[in-house]
Amino acid sequence: MSAVTAVAAETSLEPSCRKTAAHALTIVRDGVITGEGPTTRGRIHFSRALDADDAAWCARILTVSAVEHQPVSRAEIEALFEISDAAAERTDDGRFDDLLAKAVAHHAASESGLPVPPRTVALSPDTDIESWAPTKAANIDTQVLEWIASQMRGKRHSNRRLAALVATLVGVAALPLAQLPGMLDMGML
């Protein structure tokens, strides 16, 4: 058994469903906040820092075979936003932001009744989000867009990729922006 597999099995980081995946992501969040815990074991990790290993833990949790063919859940997205908020310093070369944007798009599309590819395809750093994500807000449930905007509002760290995706969806919508109050903090773009 590899060290990563042993840590995953020992700490509930081997999800069996979307609920346990969301819980596993909170364990990553705690490691980012404190610099301690199972996801930081065996390496130097500073508190409030998000590194490439943290991003890899998130990707691994989100693409485990038990959830691969299920849409990303709201609880998983909330945990990812909490991880993003917890990280004052980033040394992951943008991998986490890419993962977050793709996970949000996966959730938004599936909640709107649109087909989504398996997580291993959609969340892969080798897959362009434009190849599968919706490009028109008319296809996305307005309540989902409002929820995403509420998650993004007032964040310390802006995710430019996610902000651009949401701006594109809202920009092509037939809805007036007045129907989506405070959707975007334009300072994020």
Side-chain angles (χ1 to χ4, degrees), residues 20 24-25 28 32 39 48 62 77 87 89 92 94 105 110 113-115 142 149 178:
T20 57
L25 289 169
V28 175
V32 167
T39 62
R48 298 289 177 178
L62 288 170
I77 298 299
E89 182 181 329
D92 68 323
S110 67
L114 299 173
T142 304

Side-chain angles (χ1 to χ4, degrees), residues 54-73:
D54 296 319
W57 271 109
C58 293
R60 183 178 175 281
I61 290 165
L62 288 170
T63 58
V64 69
S65 63
V67 296
E68 178 183 6
H69 296 288
Q70 298 174 20
V72 177
S73 71

Side-chain angles (χ1 to χ4, degrees), residues 17 39 79 107 143:
C17 64
T39 62
H107 172 72
Q143 290 179 342

